Amino acid sequence: MDSVQMISHIEKSLNYSVYDVKWIPCTAKFVSIGSKPKGTGVVQIYELNRGNLDLVKETEKEKSLKCGSFGASKLRTEHLAVGDFAGKLTVYDLERLDADPVYEVAAHEGIINTLDAIGGSTVNCGAPEIVTGGRDGSVKVWDPRQPNDPVANICPADQNPAGRRDCWAVGFGDSHNPVERVVCCGYDNGDLKLIDLRNLKLRWEANVMNGICAVEFDRKDIRMNKLAVSTLEGGLFVYDMRTQHSQKGFASVREKTVGQSLGTNGVISGAKSTVWTVKHLPQNRDIFVTGGGSGNVRIWL
């Protein structure tokens, strides 16, 4: 059996640190956000054009940008939600990047590490909402139609900033009708929490022994089916969210060598490196990809 080959289609060097990249729905364009060396943020829109990558639009923001999502945007509006290093959540209209933002709120004290969004283009899955996780340890859910105040605020009981854990990953799920919805949160100490947003209570929690870098349900708009969690030191956990034991929690499998390099002879070797991201294929939820700190990209079936 021939080995799998991943061929680079287009490569482009940039003069800033890229923190997030998102395809613009229903187009051949994507947006890249990040931070310039002088501490300002940058948003660039690129378009695929016959084997080339054309820069369509670029704008610079006051603060470095960390994460973004189109999940709460309708297909025709192209509203990008971004979180920055100052703790501000902003929604920009990509057609008018230099104009005032569509929505803006001071969401966290310090950097917004992660965000996720839902409800923009999916039918019968509830209101459009954005969830953010910050360095201050809190997780907040925002409705772009409601200014200033979050619709849900999940914060640590310890009011001492030194005792709070960074929230590194958040993800929506179980939004299979207009009222049901959960959010999964991952923290730097390995805590994994599942919050029921309908009843505003903790539904399940566990600890995976390493900082959680990414969480994602296989699909957000169905009943909870599968949850993928990646961690520091090469950890990958996949939970069966339809099989729950009263004491042991959800059934799961664990892969320990995800962050290690794959040699030319097919042998996995090297130090354990962070698995920074995990993403499911929209067309087939049984397929997902992981990106490791050693530079490897793996596709899982």
Side-chain angles (χ1 to χ4, degrees):
M1 181 178 176
D2 294 335
S3 61
V4 177
Q5 290 186 337
M6 300 182 68
I7 301 173
S8 174
H9 180 52
I10 302 174
E11 294 184 12
K12 189 175 185 67
S13 296
L14 302 175
N15 61 353
Y16 62 93
S17 298
V18 179
Y19 286 116
D20 205 356
V21 177
K22 289 289 187 295
W23 285 104
I24 301 176
C26 302
T27 70
K29 297 182 287 187
F30 64 88
V31 59
S32 171
I33 65 175
S35 171
K36 290 196 171 183
K38 59 183 178 180
T40 57
V42 59
V43 179
Q44 289 184 328
I45 301 175
Y46 288 94
E47 183 175 16
L48 299 179
N49 183 16
R50 298 184 179 182
N52 296 317
L53 202 57
D54 296 339
L55 179 61
V56 177
K57 194 177 297 184
E58 177 180 7
T59 186
E60 193 168 338
K61 301 300 178 182
E62 182 181 357
K63 298 294 183 181
S64 300
L65 304 177
K66 184 66 169 65
C67 45
S69 175
F70 287 101
S73 169
K74 295 182 179 179
L75 293 178
R76 296 183 179 181
T77 56
E78 295 185 359
H79 288 174
L80 173 66
V82 297
D84 66 18
F85 277 54
K88 185 179 292 184
L89 171 65
T90 311
V91 179
Y92 294 107
D93 184 348
L94 295 189
E95 296 295 329
R96 297 180 291 274
L97 264 178
D98 295 323
D100 292 336
V102 177
Y103 179 80
E104 188 175 40
V105 64
H108 293 269
E109 299 174 5
I111 183 174
I112 296 179
N113 291 318
T114 179
L115 66 78
D116 192 22
I118 193 174
S121 58
T122 309
V123 179
N124 294 329
C125 78
E129 289 180 335
I130 304 167
V131 59
T132 58
R135 181 174 290 176
D136 57 5
S138 62
V139 174
K140 298 181 182 181
V141 181
W142 307 87
D143 187 334
R145 303 167 301 177
Q146 175 180 312
N148 302 325
D149 297 323
V151 295
N153 185 358
I154 303 114
C155 59
D158 190 353
Q159 298 300 316
N160 182 11
R164 298 186 177 188
R165 312 302 309 194
D166 277 24
C167 179
W168 284 357
V170 292
F172 280 120
D174 201 35
S175 189
H176 57 90
N177 63 36
V179 294
E180 297 288 347
R181 185 170 291 174
V182 301
V183 61
C184 187
C185 321
Y187 296 84
D188 65 345
N189 63 343
D191 283 346
L192 181 65
K193 299 180 185 293
L194 187 68
I195 310 297
D196 186 338
L197 293 179
R198 180 183 182 182
N199 299 310
L200 284 179
K201 69 177 183 179
L202 181 66
R203 188 165 173 177
W204 169 73
E205 63 179 337
N207 189 284
V208 298
M209 307 303 291
N210 264 313
I212 297 173
C213 300
V215 298
E216 188 179 65
F217 289 93
D218 54 350
R219 276 182 60 182
K220 304 176 187 178
D221 57 350
I222 62 172
R223 291 184 182 273
M224 287 191 300
N225 179 58
K226 182 174 63 179
L227 173 67
V229 178
S230 69
T231 73
L232 302 175
E233 298 188 5
L236 174 66
F237 298 80
V238 179
Y239 291 90
D240 179 359
M241 304 305 288
R242 300 193 179 190
T243 306
Q244 186 177 13
H245 188 272
S246 59
Q247 296 178 344
K248 298 180 180 180
F250 291 101
S252 66
V253 294
R254 179 187 180 187
E255 177 61 53
K256 300 179 181 180
T257 61
V258 182
Q260 292 179 283
S261 300
L262 186 65
T264 55
N265 56 356
V267 177
I268 297 175
S269 60
K272 295 180 180 179
S273 61
T274 298
V275 184
W276 288 110
T277 186
V278 55
K279 295 292 181 182
H280 289 84
L281 181 67
Q283 296 85 351
N284 185 349
R285 66 190 189 202
D286 291 328
I287 301 174
F288 63 94
V289 64
T290 57
S294 61
N296 67 74
V297 176
R298 295 188 186 178
I299 298 176
W300 303 79
L301 302 175

